[in-house]
Amino acid sequence: MSRPRTVLILEDNKAAGEICRIAFRRSGMEAVVFQSLPEARAFLRTALPDALLVDVRVAEYNGLQLALLFRSMSPKATIVVTTGYDDPTIREEARQLEAIFVLKPADIDDVVSLFAAIH
């Protein structure tokens, strides 16, 4: 039996992160949730998940920094960038990373479905 696909989630809202973790688990994927960029970055030094779900504004950090690091480590992986701000600059930065941009609030099942093609 193959291992479950793993999604790294960077979300500073603890409740939202837990909802994401549960939704991914329901869909047969594992989710590793971090509330800070330094913690998520440290995790990437020890493991390489299959995909990334990242909030743009995480405390004093920009989650796109993690997306850039992850893209350099995994050029073809699925990355979904989420934010509650409909900012054209953020959309363009996500596009340059070949990431999917999702404006919050978003239905978690719709977000999880964006990762369905991971194998």
Side-chain angles (χ1 to χ4, degrees):
M1 179 180 257
S2 65
R3 71 174 177 79
R5 298 160 301 183
T6 303
V7 179
L8 171 58
I9 299 171
L10 177 60
E11 171 57 67
D12 60 345
N13 179 305
K14 188 174 184 175
E18 182 63 11
I19 289 168
C20 290
R21 188 190 65 73
I22 291 167
F24 277 102
R25 190 163 191 198
R26 265 195 341 247
S27 72
M29 290 181 260
E30 290 298 318
V32 182
V33 182
F34 294 96
Q35 291 179 286
S36 79
L37 181 65
E39 291 173 334
R41 197 174 16 221
F43 175 79
L44 283 179
R45 285 194 287 271
T46 64
L48 184 61
D50 299 297
L52 176 67
L53 173 61
V54 61
D55 187 8
V56 171
R57 297 204 175 142
V58 180
E60 68 273 13
Y61 297 100
N62 182 335
L64 289 170
Q65 294 170 313
L66 186 66
L68 182 62
L69 173 62
F70 182 70
R71 176 58 74 218
S72 72
M73 298 170 73
S74 191
K76 300 295 182 189
T78 300
I79 299 175
V80 174
V81 172
T82 66
T83 184
Y85 305 94
D86 194 8
D87 182 334
T89 302
I90 295 171
R91 284 182 182 269
E92 177 58 21
E93 289 173 340
R95 188 195 64 73
Q96 289 177 4
L97 287 169
E98 297 180 36
I100 301 165
F101 177 88
V102 174
L103 186 62
K104 291 181 181 180
D107 182 278
I108 188 57
D109 293 324
D110 292 342
V111 173
V112 169
S113 71
L114 296 171
F115 293 88
I118 302 170
H119 26 266

